[in-house]
């Protein structure tokens, strides 16, 4: 592949020259300069190397490495129990890996978790919220925990409630919310401090189509302005339409990763996914299930 | 059908053991504890049956009636029904309500509680050891009594379930249980301080009169059948059999009806309360510590589990009155304020487990240990201070020992600081499962009993050791009657309490900073 004319090779050299220390930056994860993975000068939004995690005798994640380029909309797909949630938990500081490293914007997450977490917004899956608070209180609580001042928190809370169509329910306790509304208020909590990196575990589960479209629009705008989004999902169609990068995870390992077009290789993402993961059976089973 | 449900119940019980060793240990401890209590009750009945058959007869009726009342009401107020065989689980199988009801009744006898019920009912027949011919009759009566317990309890719970399902109502019942406890305390104080003599003869007469009435109600009727046969009072026997039969039939009918209704009514949500504005979040400082404090304060008011952890506070004077033998002037009553202080400080020693997995927010945000610890501690401190002061002044006023006020205050405030400080460290080190958010505060998760006992013992030991200097000074003040010593107790108490509080927060914060992800994993395992 040739270098595009709009980007003369000299520019690359002139930028790299004044800063010769960059390639040896100790904070940069190993293997960063691998061709085709990431540009060595700007560290990826998230770089994960050799993550490994076992629970008792079950190995949930076996050596996952991923590079999420800055400004990308990155989908993580995989069958149930593939280790998606475990990987994302380790990448956001919720779960300490047995081995491996996590770098967010070039900074080692597990070396200084509290500082790095300030640049990350997280929507974890399968955890409760402080659901005895009202929706407005919960978002405010998150903002204040992030150390933001009262006025900014109040303004952003109103904006988020409006954007996610929760204004009418701002005064209701979160425990009385529906599953979709709970997802939306949790998303608002992930967004309030304007993070550089958003990690969303199953953000569209139980969310109605209109709200899902609103959320997609918010996320797309976030990516357009330089933010990075990682979503995990089961819905291949959604990932194919929404994301520009995708990683297929199964059995605690990355089976394929790259741009969506690279991974699906001319077929639909769903077909490619089933191909990669395997496990499709023929339809001859369950003959007794036929009604006629 | 009955066999299937029974097998399911047993499988669930056995699989519970496979989940964790703690659960098995907890089950065994609970089983031994209950069996010892049941053994004592049965042995007492037998001894009474040999020594005083007439009293034994009344005692069985009163005890049986109490058993039924307890079996009916305690699940409603405190424990909640055992959910392992929730009828909602059977909704999709299309089982006729009547058959399901029968199966569930039989399954209710499996488990620690059910076994205890069977043993108690059978044991009640030992009241008739002096006339063996009546033992089989008493056994039938006991079996009917056990059935009344189970069927009545199911009918009550199923009948009230639609009402109790609402969150607010569930919280109200918890508060109602607290009120009942307080009323019981007042009744107890009146009884023990008044001139009501509790002589053995008085007890016998009391039991006889209560038994006489109870035996004509559904609560006591089944337990009185053998007595009727002994008296050859056939008319009375017939009436009591009718009462028991009608109760069983009515409860059974009511329950299968409620069950049939539950089968076609999915669990529904109730419109909850609204709150405009930010509450405490608008009033406390806009900082991470202030935010955690505002959240904690909101939960103290809104989450009945916090109030539940303090349910013993109003009962504390009762315990002390019992210890003092009903003497309201005894110095032991002065312990009320220090003990309440320890309870309050101790109530936050498992705060992270109360958050349950919502704690993930603190880890995801990266809340500092300092903000987390102080934010959780301050509302408890502000809430407990006035209560502890009131208890201190009230106990001094009651005993008339105003000279001891400084010593009592010193011991109470010192204990509060020490307990809060120890809680700050312990809650970052040692968690144990508690009722989940929204569950009854009195419902202990399966298998948590032993684990929580160990944790509580360690924390209590630490509180005791750190509080020892102040305690020794206070005891010396009481023994020597020296005012200077009293003021010294106050000074030492405040100093030790203050230092313990600050150091506890600092140490707990450091541990929290190091272990936050591991703490999250621990609460995640409580699902």
């Amino acid at each position: 592949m040739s270098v595009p004319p709009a980007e003369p090779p000299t520019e690359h050299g002139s930028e790299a020259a004044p800063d010769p220390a960059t390639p040896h930056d100790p904070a940069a994860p190993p293997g960063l300069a691998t061709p085709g993975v990431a540009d060595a000068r700007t560290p990826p939004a998230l770089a994960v190397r050799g993550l490994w995690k076992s629970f008792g005798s079950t190995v949930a994640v076996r050596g996952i490495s991923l590079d999420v380029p800055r400004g990308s909309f990155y989908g993580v797909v995989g069958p149930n129990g593939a280790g998606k949630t475990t990987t994302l938990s380790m990448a956001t500081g919720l779960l300490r890996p047995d081995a491996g490293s996590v770098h967010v914007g070039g900074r080692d997450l597990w070396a200084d978790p509290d500082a790095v977490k300030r640049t990350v917004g997280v929507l974890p899956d399968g955890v409760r919220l402080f659901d005895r608070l009202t929706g407005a209180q919960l978002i405010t609580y998150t903002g204040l925990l992030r150390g933001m001042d009262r006025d900014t928190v109040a303004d952003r809370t109103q904006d988020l409630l409006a954007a996610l169509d929760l204004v009418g329910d701002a005064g209701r306790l979160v425990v009385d919310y529906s599953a979709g509304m709970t997802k939306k208020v949790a998303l608002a909590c992930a967004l309030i401090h304007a993070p550089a990196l958003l990690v969303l575990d199953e953000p569209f589960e139980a969310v109605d189509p209109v709200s899902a479209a609103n959320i997609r629009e918010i996320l797309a705008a976030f990516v357009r302005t330089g933010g990075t989004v990682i979503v995990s999902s089961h819905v291949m169609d959604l990932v194919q339409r929404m994301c520009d990068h995708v990683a297929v995870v199964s059995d605690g390992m990355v089976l394929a990763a790259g741009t969506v077009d690279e991974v699906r290789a001319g077929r639909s993402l769903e077909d490619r996914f089933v191909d990669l993961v395997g496990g499709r059976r023929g339809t001859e089973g369950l003959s007794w299930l036929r009604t006629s | 059908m009955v066999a299937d449900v029974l097998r399911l119940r047993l499988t669930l019980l056995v699989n519970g053991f496979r989940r964790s060793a703690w659960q098995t240990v907890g089950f065994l401890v609970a089983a031994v504890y209950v069996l010892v209590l049941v053994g004592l009750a049965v042995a007492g009945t037998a001894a009474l049956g040999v020594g005083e058959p007439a009293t034994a007869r009344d005692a069985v009726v009163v005890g049986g009636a109490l058993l039924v009342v307890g079996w009916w009401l305690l699940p409603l107020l405190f424990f909640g029904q055992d959910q392992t065989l929730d009828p909602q689980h059977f909704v999709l199988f299309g089982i006729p309500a009547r058959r399901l009801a029968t199966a569930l009744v039989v399954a209710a006898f499996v488990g620690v509680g059910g076994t205890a019920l069977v043993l108690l009912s059978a044991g009640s027949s030992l009241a008739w050891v002096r006339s063996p011919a009546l033992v089989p009759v008493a056994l039938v009566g006991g079996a009917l009594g056990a059935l009344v317990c189970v069927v009545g309890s199911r009918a009550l719970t199923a009948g009230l379930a639609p009402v109790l399902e609402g969150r607010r109502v569930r919280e109200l019942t918890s508060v109602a249980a607290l009120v009942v406890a307080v009323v019981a305390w007042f009744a107890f104080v009146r009884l023990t301080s008044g001139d009501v003599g509790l002589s053995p003869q008085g007890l016998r007469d009391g039991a006889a009169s209560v038994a006489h009435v109870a035996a004509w109600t559904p609560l006591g009727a089944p337990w009185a059948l053998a007595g009727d046969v002994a008296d050859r009072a056939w008319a009375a026997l017939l009436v009591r059999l009718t009462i028991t039969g009608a109760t069983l039939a009515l409860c059974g009918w009511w329950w299968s009806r409620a069950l049939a209704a539950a089968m076609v009514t999915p669990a529904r949500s109730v419109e909850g309360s609204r709150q405009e504005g930010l509450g405490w979040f608008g009033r406390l400082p806009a900082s991470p510590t202030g935010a955690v404090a505002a959240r904690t304060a909101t939960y103290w008011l809104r989450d009945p589990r916090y109030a539940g952890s303090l349910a013993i506070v109003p009962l504390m004077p009762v315990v002390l009155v019992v210890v003092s033998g009903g003497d309201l002037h005894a110095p032991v009553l002065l312990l009320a304020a220090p003990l309440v202080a320890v309870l309050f400080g101790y109530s936050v020693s498992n705060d992270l487990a109360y958050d349950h997995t919502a704690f993930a927010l603190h880890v995801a945000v990266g809340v500092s240990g300092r903000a987390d610890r102080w934010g959780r501690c301050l509302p408890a401190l502000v809430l407990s201070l006035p209560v502890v002061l009131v208890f201190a002044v009230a106990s001094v006023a009651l005993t008339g020992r105003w000279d001891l006020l400084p010593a009592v205050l010193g011991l109470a405030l010192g204990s509060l600081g020490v307990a809060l400080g120890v809680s700050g460290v312990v809650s970052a080190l040692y968690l144990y499962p508690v009722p989940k958010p929204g569950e009854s505060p009195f419902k202990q998760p399966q298998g948590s009993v032993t684990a929580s006992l160990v944790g509580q013992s360690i924390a209590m030991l630490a509180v005791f050791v750190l509080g020892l200097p102040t305690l020794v000074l206070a005891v010396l003040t009481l023994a020597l009657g020296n005012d200077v010593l009293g003021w010294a107790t106050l000074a030492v108490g405040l100093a030790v309490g203050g230092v313990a509080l600050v150091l506890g927060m600092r140490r707990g914060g450091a541990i929290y900073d190091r272990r936050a992800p591991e703490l999250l994993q621990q609460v995640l395992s409580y699902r």
Side-chain angles (χ1 to χ4, degrees):
Chain A
M1 199 185 185
S2 62
V3 176
E7 194 182 330
T10 47
E11 194 184 84
H12 190 103
S14 69
E15 259 186 30
D19 192 8
T22 310
H24 310 291
D25 186 351
L32 203 68
T34 315
V37 175
D39 184 338
R41 283 171 308 114
T42 54
L46 176 73
V48 161
R49 285 293 171 274
L51 277 191
W52 199 277
K53 184 75 197 177
S54 52
F55 300 101
S57 56
T58 323
V59 183
V61 172
R62 38 187 99 222
I64 281 191
S65 296
L66 278 179
D67 273 317
V68 178
R70 199 166 288 213
S72 66
F73 204 136
Y74 206 103
V76 177
V77 296
N80 298 326
K84 300 190 294 287
T85 295
T86 310
T87 306
L88 294 185
S89 296
M90 289 190 283
T92 51
L94 294 176
L95 175 66
R96 203 185 298 276
D98 293 342
S101 70
V102 176
H103 286 77
V104 177
R107 292 198 292 170
D108 188 343
L109 170 76
W110 285 100
D112 187 6
D114 287 359
V116 177
K117 281 171 185 172
R118 267 174 226 137
T119 60
V120 185
V122 188
L123 171 71
D125 188 36
V127 303
R128 289 165 186 267
L129 301 173
F130 284 105
D131 54 15
R132 298 293 160 131
L133 304 180
T134 66
Q137 278 179 329
L138 182 61
I139 302 172
T140 306
Y141 181 45
T142 313
L144 294 176
L145 279 186
R146 293 277 185 189
M148 298 158 59
D149 67 81
R150 196 188 293 282
D151 293 336
T152 315
V153 171
D155 289 346
R156 289 190 185 173
T157 301
Q158 286 315 313
D159 291 348
L160 285 166
L161 287 170
L164 293 166
D165 198 22
L166 286 171
V167 173
D169 301 299
R172 276 175 61 197
L173 298 193
V174 174
V175 68
D176 296 327
Y177 277 16
S178 70
M181 287 158 70
T182 309
K183 273 280 184 214
K184 288 199 285 181
V185 83
L187 179 66
C189 292
L191 290 170
I192 187 153
H193 62 301
L197 171 67
L198 260 182
V199 181
L200 314 174
D201 199 353
E202 299 285 355
F204 297 104
E205 216 175 38
V207 175
D208 67 84
V210 176
S211 299
N214 287 343
I215 294 174
R216 274 206 307 277
E217 202 176 292
I218 294 169
L219 296 181
F222 176 74
V223 168
R224 270 199 302 280
T225 54
T228 310
V229 178
I230 305 173
V231 294
S232 79
S233 182
H234 286 118
V235 189
M236 298 302 140
D237 194 39
L238 191 79
V239 171
Q240 185 175 342
R241 269 188 296 138
M242 190 172 65
C243 300
D244 45 47
H245 287 66
V246 68
V248 180
V249 178
S250 178
D251 203 18
M253 290 178 287
V254 178
L255 298 184
T259 65
V260 172
D261 289 335
E262 279 168 15
V263 170
R264 68 193 181 101
R267 304 164 59 193
S268 84
L269 188 60
E270 183 157 350
D271 288 346
R272 182 77 179 115
F273 174 83
V274 172
D275 240 28
L276 279 166
V277 172
R280 278 283 290 134
R281 299 176 200 292
T283 47
E284 64 275 4
L286 304 190
S287 55
W288 44 265
L289 196 52
R290 284 157 207 157
T291 47
S292 57
Chain B
M1 180 68 213
V2 173
D4 288 334
V5 173
L6 212 56
R7 206 173 305 125
L8 173 66
R9 177 84 181 89
L10 281 170
T11 313
L12 287 171
L13 197 68
V14 172
N15 283 1
F17 299 148
R18 289 185 12 195
R19 258 188 81 202
S20 85
W22 277 121
Q23 199 150 322
T24 315
V25 174
F27 178 85
L28 287 178
V29 169
V32 168
Y33 179 71
V34 168
L35 284 182
V36 166
L37 284 186
V38 167
L40 285 176
V42 171
T45 313
L48 215 53
V50 173
E52 297 185 47
T55 314
R57 177 178 166 174
D58 292 334
V60 162
V61 174
V62 174
L66 282 177
L67 181 66
V68 174
V69 171
W71 208 266
W72 284 8
L73 291 187
L74 287 185
L76 279 183
L77 287 179
F78 296 105
F79 312 124
Q81 279 287 359
D82 177 23
Q83 293 299 309
T84 42
L85 284 184
D86 188 347
Q88 290 283 350
H89 295 317
F90 297 95
V91 164
L92 295 176
F93 296 114
I95 303 163
R98 196 182 277 267
R99 284 173 67 188
L100 182 58
T102 318
L104 289 178
V105 165
V106 177
F109 287 104
V110 179
V112 177
T115 310
L117 182 60
V118 170
L119 292 178
L120 278 176
S121 313
S124 72
S125 64
L126 291 180
W128 299 96
V129 277
R130 290 275 286 267
S131 27
L134 288 172
V135 169
V137 183
L139 274 176
V140 171
L144 287 174
L147 272 179
V148 168
C149 282
V150 170
V151 178
S153 160
R154 292 284 171 166
L156 259 181
T157 317
L160 293 176
V163 187
L164 291 172
E165 240 158 48
R167 188 172 50 76
R168 284 218 83 74
V169 177
R170 213 160 46 214
E171 286 167 14
L172 277 179
T173 43
S174 311
V175 176
L178 271 184
V179 171
V180 168
V182 174
V183 169
W185 166 43
F186 276 117
F188 187 81
V189 170
R190 278 297 298 273
L191 258 178
T192 45
S193 61
D195 299 320
V196 186
L198 290 179
S199 66
Q201 189 53 46
L203 268 178
R204 262 184 226 118
D205 293 347
S209 53
V210 172
H212 188 72
V213 177
W216 294 105
T217 66
L219 308 175
W223 313 99
L225 295 179
D228 291 335
V229 176
D231 294 348
R232 306 196 178 283
W234 306 118
L237 178 70
L238 194 65
V239 173
R240 284 198 238 273
L241 271 176
T242 313
I243 292 176
T244 308
T247 308
L248 282 174
L250 199 70
C251 288
W253 169 78
W254 173 259
W255 184 35
S256 0
R257 220 185 60 125
L259 209 54
M263 290 290 141
V264 292
T265 319
R268 67 212 163 87
S269 61
V270 184
E271 173 77 5
S273 61
R274 300 182 68 91
Q275 187 199 347
E276 304 306 332
L278 292 174
W280 288 106
F281 293 96
R283 272 168 253 159
L284 293 177
S287 69
T289 310
V292 176
R295 205 272 306 163
T296 309
T298 313
Y299 265 58
W300 275 95
L301 297 177
R302 262 189 213 153
D303 190 333
R305 292 175 306 155
Y306 283 90
S309 71
L310 295 175
I312 188 80
V313 167
L315 288 172
M316 187 51 77
V318 182
V319 178
L320 293 172
V321 167
V322 171
V323 171
S324 74
D327 178 8
L328 291 182
H329 301 292
V332 71
L333 289 187
L334 296 174
L335 280 175
L339 286 178
V340 165
V342 169
L343 279 175
F344 261 106
Y346 188 62
S347 66
V348 287
S349 68
N350 198 20
D351 216 21
L352 293 185
Y354 279 102
D355 289 0
H356 207 247
T357 54
F359 177 56
L361 177 65
H362 284 213
V363 185
V365 166
V367 178
S368 71
R370 197 175 148 276
D372 184 276
R373 300 290 93 185
W374 279 108
R376 289 172 192 277
C377 161
L378 286 175
L381 183 63
V382 170
L383 187 71
S384 57
L385 263 182
V387 178
V388 169
L389 290 178
V390 165
F391 266 87
V393 173
S395 64
V396 168
L398 203 63
T399 50
R401 296 291 302 270
W402 288 100
D403 56 316
L404 290 176
L405 185 59
V408 170
L409 280 178
L411 187 56
L413 296 176
S415 309
L416 183 61
V418 166
L420 282 172
V422 168
S423 289
V425 176
V426 168
S427 68
L429 269 181
Y430 193 97
L431 303 182
Y432 52 88
V434 294
K436 293 189 191 77
E439 279 185 354
S440 163
F442 301 98
K443 190 173 175 182
Q444 278 295 318
Q446 264 196 323
S448 68
V449 180
T450 324
S452 56
L453 271 182
V454 174
Q456 285 169 3
S457 317
I458 295 171
M460 279 299 178
L461 193 68
V463 171
F464 179 74
V465 169
L466 291 173
L468 207 53
T470 326
L471 184 63
V472 168
L473 274 175
V475 169
L476 281 178
T477 313
L478 179 66
L480 304 176
N482 186 327
D483 280 357
V484 180
L485 266 179
W487 290 104
T489 312
L490 180 57
V492 169
L494 284 177
V496 170
V499 170
L501 178 62
V502 171
L503 285 185
M505 291 300 109
R506 196 172 292 169
R507 189 85 204 95
I511 299 172
Y512 172 98
D513 283 335
R514 207 170 58 239
R515 295 192 64 225
E518 283 71 26
L519 289 169
L520 175 63
Q521 282 313 301
Q522 207 173 341
V523 286
L524 276 167
S525 72
Y526 296 158
R527 271 190 288 187

